[in-house]
Amino acid sequence: MVDNDHMDVTELLESASLLIPEEIATENDITVRDVWDYLAHDEWETALGLLEELGDGHPLSLTFWEQLAKAAEELRLERSAAWCHWRCSEIRNGMIRADLTLRPATEARRKTPFSGHGVLRPMWDIGNLSPTGGTSVSIAGLWVEDMPFLEPGGRATVRLIPLAPSHWTHVKTGRRINMHEDRTVAGTAVVLEVHLPATAMPRKPQ
């Protein structure tokens, strides 16, 4: 049974490798050829990590990240599986990168750190109004880059996945948006990048 699982992992990682152009390399000059070397020696976890690194530096397909997510689940690598599923969601729903600063515990409802790995789905005031003219918030999942947790008063670069991408089409680089976990402001973010799916982008005038 274990051998079959390992066979599945090898096939998943090999098929993901085939989706990477040979000319792509990481900052450390790692290429897909290096991945194949690790796969030849059954070093699946290392190969998976290199594939993630190659994918993080270059836009790759939904299928690529789906294959990695399955492989990570087979290897019981929870953090890698969560990240690969997150990247799948970014491709489907788009992604906004932002510089987020949380309010300190003395000024906000939150008194404890939260997981940076896509668990939190806070509300965001991005300037939309309700039919009655009040503030209408939009939900977006949150992943903290390079940090496992974010504490009250902390600051980090975050990635947001909109639940409804069409609500975010007006959001541009440099805009300040407020994060909410209740009626009070939990933090403020400055938008660094906006990558929304083509179906959510506003149509150009004819």
Side-chain angles (χ1 to χ4, degrees):
M1 184 69 180
V2 172
D3 289 342
N4 288 337
D5 285 346
H6 286 165
M7 179 68 73
D8 291 341
V9 169
T10 301
E11 291 174 354
L12 288 165
L13 295 176
E14 286 178 353
S15 62
S17 300
L18 292 172
L19 298 173
I20 301 177
E22 286 194 14
E23 65 273 13
I24 285 182
T26 69
E27 292 181 356
N28 300 324
D29 292 327
I30 298 294
T31 69
V32 71
R33 291 179 183 273
D34 297 294
V35 175
W36 284 97
D37 288 341
Y38 284 107
L39 288 176
H41 294 89
D42 293 338
E43 296 187 36
W44 303 291
E45 187 171 343
T46 302
L48 173 63
L50 292 181
L51 287 168
E52 286 183 31
E53 193 175 343
L54 285 162
D56 289 344
H58 304 84
L60 293 171
S61 67
L62 177 61
T63 301
F64 170 82
W65 288 107
E66 288 175 338
Q67 302 280 42
L68 290 196
K70 291 177 184 176
E73 288 173 347
E74 290 286 349
L75 293 169
R76 295 179 173 84
L77 300 173
E78 292 184 7
R79 193 273 178 193
S80 286
W83 174 240
C84 294
H85 281 301
W86 179 270
R87 291 304 302 269
C88 290
S89 296
E90 287 189 352
I91 293 170
R92 296 188 187 100
N93 283 38
M95 183 271 291
I96 291 91
R97 283 183 83 235
D99 180 2
L100 172 66
T101 302
L102 295 182
R103 294 178 67 183
T106 54
E107 299 177 11
R109 171 191 174 191
R110 175 170 290 280
K111 310 301 181 187
T112 59
F114 62 78
S115 169
H117 293 166
V119 177
L120 197 67
R121 297 176 64 186
M123 300 170 286
W124 299 87
D125 178 359
I126 54 176
N128 291 329
L129 298 178
S130 69
T132 58
T135 298
S136 177
V137 294
S138 297
I139 296 173
L142 186 156
W143 187 287
V144 183
E145 292 188 354
D146 304 320
M147 296 171 64
F149 297 94
L150 190 59
E151 299 181 353
R155 179 180 177 182
T157 300
V158 297
R159 305 168 77 98
L160 311 179
I161 292 181
L163 186 65
S166 60
H167 293 179
W168 295 70
T169 55
H170 65 287
V171 176
K172 306 297 181 187
T173 302
R175 188 184 184 110
R176 296 176 69 86
I177 59 177
N178 288 331
M179 172 181 148
H180 290 262
E181 292 188 83
D182 58 11
R183 290 182 177 273
T184 62
V185 175
T188 300
V190 178
V191 175
L192 303 174
E193 300 175 27
V194 179
H195 304 277
L196 292 178
T199 52
M201 297 306 291
R203 294 182 179 180
K204 294 181 179 178
Q206 300 291 328

